[in-house]
Amino acid sequence: NSAEATADSTLSREAKNTARGRGKAAESRPRFSQMHHQIMCLAKLLEPEPAELQQRNAALVAIFTTIRTAMPSAQVYVFGSTSTGLLLPCSDMDVLVVEPRLKQ
């Protein structure tokens, strides 16, 4: 299928072997490092297209602007997969708003 063709063309033979746990690169790395490499290869394959990233950034700017307009003293934080760069095309955007003037 086309997704498999894209994945095959995206990963080098060495990266595919490493992702399968084979090859020189996989043998020379500690287990944790192998897992990290596999996760990063998968994340690269699944990352959103540049146009989607631009749309997400525009949405975050709009969110920040709206919150800052309504609550000027608020602090706004982005966390989760958006902040780590490990987001998928279907990932949500996690935003925390801290308004010091609001009482608990």
Side-chain angles (χ1 to χ4, degrees):
N1 88 28
S2 66
E4 290 173 2
T6 301
D8 284 344
S9 66
T10 303
L11 286 178
S12 68
R13 182 179 303 260
E14 168 124 358
K16 286 190 281 185
N17 283 336
T18 301
R20 292 183 187 119
R22 301 190 300 251
K24 290 181 184 177
E27 292 168 7
S28 65
R29 284 194 199 121
R31 277 265 202 237
F32 178 78
S33 181
Q34 288 176 27
M35 180 181 284
H36 173 78
H37 179 73
Q38 291 169 356
I39 290 169
M40 295 309 293
C41 285
L42 179 61
K44 183 72 176 161
L45 285 173
L46 298 175
E47 71 184 8
E49 295 293 323
E52 184 176 359
L53 291 175
Q54 289 175 346
Q55 291 172 340
R56 286 173 169 275
N57 287 337
L60 285 172
V61 167
I63 290 167
F64 273 62
T65 302
T66 302
I67 292 168
R68 291 283 167 90
T69 301
M71 298 180 282
S73 62
Q75 296 173 318
V76 185
Y77 302 95
V78 176
F79 64 98
S81 61
T82 300
S83 67
T84 63
L86 295 175
L87 65 157
L88 300 174
C90 60
S91 292
D92 63 353
M93 292 186 288
D94 301 302
V95 178
L96 170 67
V97 178
V98 178
E99 173 51 83
R101 296 180 305 157
L102 296 178
K103 295 183 179 183
Q104 295 181 348

